[in-house]
Amino acid sequence: ILVKLLGSDYQLQYDEFDLCQLAKVIEVCRASKSRAEAGKKLFAVSRIQRNTTNDSDRLGKDLEKFNLTFQACKDC
């Protein structure tokens, strides 16, 4: 899945730590109906500690680091 989304040389572009996190994010995105649902699952603990919560936006910004979108993860 990472090759499909990031290209064959993805391991040269990203740290292993980031790739492990991304794999989990993709798994959650694929199992979720919407970006908001995925965000709520991924940020369940930290959202309790925040004054304002926009988990959908937060997920979108995290995916942008890899030039990805929720829909791209969902479709893979």
Side-chain angles (χ1 to χ4, degrees), residues 25 27-42 55-57 59-60 63 69-71 73-74:
V25 169
E27 177 186 321
V28 171
C29 287
R30 293 178 77 193
S32 300
K33 294 178 183 175
S34 67
R35 190 168 88 171
E37 181 182 323
K40 285 178 184 177
K41 289 178 186 177
L42 289 165
D55 301 321
S56 179
D57 184 59
L59 174 58
L63 288 172
T69 63
F70 171 79
Q71 196 60 50
C73 294
K74 186 87 172 138

Side-chain angles (χ1 to χ4, degrees), residues 4-68:
K4 183 177 179 181
L5 289 171
L6 302 176
S8 60
D9 64 343
Y10 73 91
Q11 291 177 317
L12 301 173
Q13 298 177 24
Y14 302 101
D15 290 325
E16 187 70 22
F17 179 83
D18 294 326
L19 294 173
C20 289
Q21 278 189 309
L22 179 59
K24 181 62 178 180
V25 169
I26 292 168
E27 177 186 321
V28 171
C29 287
R30 293 178 77 193
S32 300
K33 294 178 183 175
S34 67
R35 190 168 88 171
E37 181 182 323
K40 285 178 184 177
K41 289 178 186 177
L42 289 165
F43 303 115
V45 173
S46 62
R47 75 187 317 265
I48 294 169
Q49 300 166 358
R50 297 169 57 118
N51 292 333
T52 60
T53 57
N54 189 342
D55 301 321
S56 179
D57 184 59
R58 187 173 170 192
L59 174 58
K61 288 178 182 177
D62 284 345
L63 288 172
E64 283 177 10
K65 296 175 191 174
F66 297 94
N67 295 316
L68 295 175

